[in-house]
Amino acid sequence: MRKKIIAGNWKMNKTLEEGMGLVSELSNMLKDEYQGSAEVVIIPPFVHLNAVSKLIADNPRLASGAQNCSNHKSGAYTGEVSAGMIGSVGCKYVIIGHSERRQYFGEHNAWLAQKIDAVLTAGLNPIYCCGETLEERENNSHFEVLEKQISEGLFHLNDDQIKQVVVAYEPVWAIGTGKTASTAQAQEIHAFIRGLISKKYNEALAQEITIQYGGSVKAENAAELFAAPDIDGALVGGAALQSRSFVDIVKAMA
Ligand code: PEP
């Protein structure tokens, strides 16, 4: 069975004290309320990664991740953080190509392919984000856009490497807007992405890849999304900033 993963991306929110408080609450609530097997990933800002990773180290259900990394291994790149550094503080995942990175920081597919390589070289798992804008959906170019993001970002990888990747489908029009893709819309795209991977690699491999949905996921819509055959979890933004709403999303994963 494919691995189910619920990840909470804090973006640029929470002081260290607030973040540690949230992680402690999450950890206790999950212990009391969730017996399922989904992996829960906490993705705080870089400066909190070491402390968060230490706090969850003895909880096998929890993992930590970073929101971005450099495509370089080390050197004179002021302000950047390498995948190796992220791994050295105990993280397992790195988000690559979040739409906010694509939109505000000019990250494009070729650059993201290099970041994917950096993450894999460090022995970590990329969470590779893809998704169309509202304009692209309205002019019906979304399948083309997604195919380009997936093929240019990932299809240079070999079979063993692609198996380490988690894909997150995040329609840009649904991120932080309160507008969620319908389950039918999300399922259609998840099946499309799995089909692209099957065509490039093979069906058995495609069936192993975890594909998360992201875009205004809440406790109220999570169970229906998770019941769709190709939706293997969620990448959550706003609702991951409070323990109650995030734990309720995790509990929606049967
Ligand atoms: C995200 O940041 O990846 C995200 C999906 O945000 P939100 O849940 O707030 O839409």
Side-chain angles (χ1 to χ4, degrees):
M1 205 172 86
R2 279 195 297 276
K3 187 168 181 178
K4 309 292 184 189
I5 304 172
I6 320 284
N9 170 18
W10 296 1
K11 310 193 186 192
M12 198 174 73
N13 291 294
K14 306 281 178 196
T15 62
L16 179 61
E17 195 183 346
E18 290 164 351
M20 296 300 269
L22 174 57
V23 175
S24 300
E25 277 173 25
L26 279 177
S27 187
N28 290 332
M29 288 165 78
L30 287 169
K31 203 164 3 132
D32 293 343
E33 300 178 31
Y34 182 67
Q35 272 70 52
S37 57
E39 184 174 36
V40 179
V41 185
I42 298 169
I43 308 184
F46 282 131
V47 286
H48 307 340
L49 277 177
N50 189 29
V52 167
S53 301
K54 283 203 173 96
L55 194 61
I56 63 171
D58 57 356
N59 188 335
R61 274 218 203 109
L62 290 173
S64 59
Q67 298 174 16
N68 177 33
C69 74
S70 172
N71 53 325
H72 298 287
K73 203 169 170 189
S74 62
Y77 302 102
T78 300
E80 290 288 273
V81 176
S82 74
M85 293 169 187
I86 292 165
S88 75
V89 297
C91 285
K92 185 170 172 190
Y93 293 96
V94 185
I95 296 178
I96 296 295
H98 190 282
S99 66
E100 288 150 15
R101 301 292 316 171
R102 292 178 186 262
Q103 187 182 348
Y104 305 133
F105 302 96
E107 296 194 2
H108 51 79
N109 295 333
W111 187 6
L112 298 171
Q114 292 177 15
K115 292 189 178 209
I116 293 278
D117 291 343
V119 174
L120 292 170
T121 301
L124 308 180
N125 301 93
I127 298 176
Y128 181 65
C129 297
C130 58
E132 78 283 1
T133 62
L134 185 60
E135 192 189 352
E136 288 160 347
R137 179 159 280 263
E138 284 176 348
N139 67 25
N140 221 23
S141 61
H142 51 299
F143 290 108
E144 201 182 307
V145 168
L146 284 157
E147 180 161 6
K148 201 167 153 58
Q149 290 172 339
I150 294 287
S151 61
E152 293 183 359
L154 297 179
F155 283 177
H156 62 290
L157 301 176
N158 66 30
D159 287 24
D160 289 337
Q161 292 170 322
I162 190 97
K163 285 184 196 169
Q164 305 307 314
V165 175
V166 173
V167 176
Y169 168 56
E170 299 208 301
V172 178
W173 49 271
I175 297 179
T177 58
K179 231 187 201 181
T180 319
S182 69
T183 302
Q185 283 173 320
Q187 167 58 29
E188 179 185 37
I189 300 296
H190 283 231
F192 173 71
I193 293 170
R194 204 177 301 288
L196 293 174
I197 297 170
S198 173
K199 213 164 15 159
K200 170 71 183 172
Y201 298 91
N202 60 69
E203 180 57 17
L205 187 153
Q207 287 299 331
E208 285 181 44
I209 305 290
T210 297
I211 307 178
Q212 301 175 302
Y213 170 77
S216 299
V217 175
K218 311 175 211 53
E220 298 77 52
N221 55 27
E224 189 188 323
L225 285 162
F226 295 163
D230 287 290
I231 299 180
D232 308 314
L235 181 53
V236 183
L241 295 174
Q242 285 178 353
S243 52
R244 183 71 272 157
S245 51
F246 190 56
V247 168
D248 284 347
I249 290 170
V250 175
K251 286 166 70 181
M253 176 60 78

